[in-house]
Amino acid sequence: MTTLTDPPKEQFRLSMLLYDTRYRSATIQVIALIGFMLLAAWIISNTINNLADLGKPVEFGFFGEPASYDINQRLLEYTSRDTHLRAAFVGLLNTLVVAVLGCITATILGVIIGVLRLSHNWIVARLMTIYVEMFRNVPVLLWIVFIMAILIESLPAPRAFRGENPEAGMILSDSVAVTNRGVYIPEFLFSNSLGDIHLLGQSSLRFDISLDLIAFLVVLGAGMWVSRWIKHRADRLQEETGDRPVTWWQRLAVVLIPIAILLYLLGFHLGYPELKGFNFSGGTHLRNSLIALWLALSLYTAAFIAEIVRAGIMAISKGQTEAAAALGLRQKRIMNLVILPQALRVIIPPLISNYLNLTKNSSLAIAVGYMDITGTLGGITMNQTGRELECVLLLMLVYLTISLSISAVMNWYNESVKLKER
């Protein structure tokens, strides 16, 4: 009678790291990683030592020094006596404003233009093709400067609004003034304001958050949550009975009515711009630099998004459209309910890249005098302090953080809308 015994276990030897295929790839990767880290450490150490020999050690104390320059378009209170750190923070907010406005506008325009490029109307389709080819093949910097020149040269000066018979007039019931210095729009005011919350005290990053804004966002969020609950309830009833109740008016009411009540209690009213002296005062001033940058980035990026949308729609089988039409759906409903939801799988990944490109292209703002993070931290602050390495590294870190945040949000959205297979 024979007994089965386990084969003897092979003992590990150092030579196996190179000659055994089970370990060889991992060994090579570890060696390459160690070599890269040593090279990076040598470069960093050498740079720091050379800067120290030049009397410029790496340090960030310059952020506490007065900036001594103005920022024309800003969301926070700022004076030239504030620090370089606050100037950089104000510039960062300006970058985020352009990025958010540009992404929203470019998406809306891109979807519309992409759909119209597939129109059966020959004139409409060709006009959209001209738009796409014109904006895609001209550098965005030229569009920024071109639109800025149009705003300065074609719009009336503030003095044109003066007199009994002015050459120019305000629009929208005398509430908006469009001039060659920018657009003046009404500002939101509250006679029963709840006040502000002062964050970070007297530090360089101090800023105030309006309690009125917080209350508005809370009420809006609660209304949208209730509206979503009403929608889920309608979906459940439709699955159970086959009939879908009409709920659009309920969903609209639970969002708008609480907001209207809140605004009434806060004493909401508008502050209109008025011509005083040589310029308008009051209201909110949107400078031409912001408008030119916003429009140029939006129109330029919309051309690329239009092609992405067109490719996503064409990727859907024509049988989907024919089947929806056979059920009696109109063309608009087919596009909204059948084609676009499926096309999102193709559209969203390249759409992320275009959002990132728009955000990074906002660094061209300095060409028209819009003070974003590149113009403040990577421009005047760097030139005044002579801290090129620190400023450039922080600028790279800022754009890296913004880009990774956009990618994370869009990837999360992509996961939420993709088709779930059973």
Side-chain angles (χ1 to χ4, degrees), residues 12 60 304 317 393 396 400:
F12 177 78
F60 298 91
F304 292 89
S317 172
L393 286 177
M396 293 169 61
L400 177 63

Side-chain angles (χ1 to χ4, degrees), residues 102-117 128 131-132 298-311 313 340 347 351 355:
C103 288
I104 294 174
T105 307
T107 301
I108 296 174
L109 292 176
V111 171
I112 295 174
I113 295 169
V115 172
L116 291 179
R117 278 208 68 183
M128 295 301 102
Y131 170 89
V132 170
S298 300
L299 295 174
Y300 178 80
T301 308
F304 292 89
I305 294 179
E307 288 297 273
I308 294 172
V309 171
R310 185 171 71 97
I313 293 174
L340 283 180
I347 292 174
L351 185 64
Y355 284 166

Side-chain angles (χ1 to χ4, degrees), residues 150-262:
I150 291 177
L151 295 176
I152 295 176
E153 299 297 335
S154 63
L155 297 179
R159 64 174 180 271
F161 292 81
R162 185 183 294 110
E164 296 182 358
N165 297 312
E167 301 177 9
M170 301 176 68
I171 60 177
L172 299 179
S173 301
D174 293 336
S175 61
V176 177
V178 182
T179 73
N180 62 355
R181 297 183 182 179
V183 178
Y184 298 83
I185 61 176
E187 62 178 332
F188 296 160
L189 299 175
F190 301 94
S191 57
N192 301 323
S193 177
L194 299 175
D196 300 326
I197 297 179
H198 306 285
L199 298 181
L200 301 180
Q202 299 300 319
S203 67
S204 299
L205 297 181
R206 67 189 185 280
F207 62 96
D208 301 333
I209 296 182
S210 172
L211 290 176
D212 304 324
L213 176 62
I214 294 177
F216 176 82
L217 294 177
V218 169
V219 173
L220 176 62
M224 294 180 66
W225 183 84
V226 175
S227 174
R228 188 177 180 85
W229 179 83
I230 294 174
K231 178 182 180 298
H232 287 325
R233 179 175 176 272
D235 292 339
R236 187 172 65 254
L237 291 176
Q238 183 180 13
E239 292 179 358
E240 295 175 354
T241 64
D243 296 327
R244 185 177 184 85
V246 179
T247 59
W248 66 266
W249 63 271
Q250 297 176 0
R251 299 183 62 188
L252 198 62
V254 297
V255 174
L256 296 182
I257 293 178
I259 291 179
I261 295 174
L262 175 65

Side-chain angles (χ1 to χ4, degrees), residues 14 30 50 61 72 101 139 191 197 204 224 245-246 289 294 307 385:
L14 290 177
V30 170
N50 289 337
N72 48 20
L101 292 177
S191 57
I197 297 179
S204 299
M224 294 180 66
V246 179
S289 55
W294 173 20
E307 288 297 273
T385 61

Side-chain angles (χ1 to χ4, degrees), residues 157-163 170 272-281:
R159 64 174 180 271
F161 292 81
R162 185 183 294 110
M170 301 176 68
Y272 297 97
E274 298 179 358
L275 182 61
K276 294 182 179 180
F278 297 99
N279 207 347
F280 283 88
S281 63

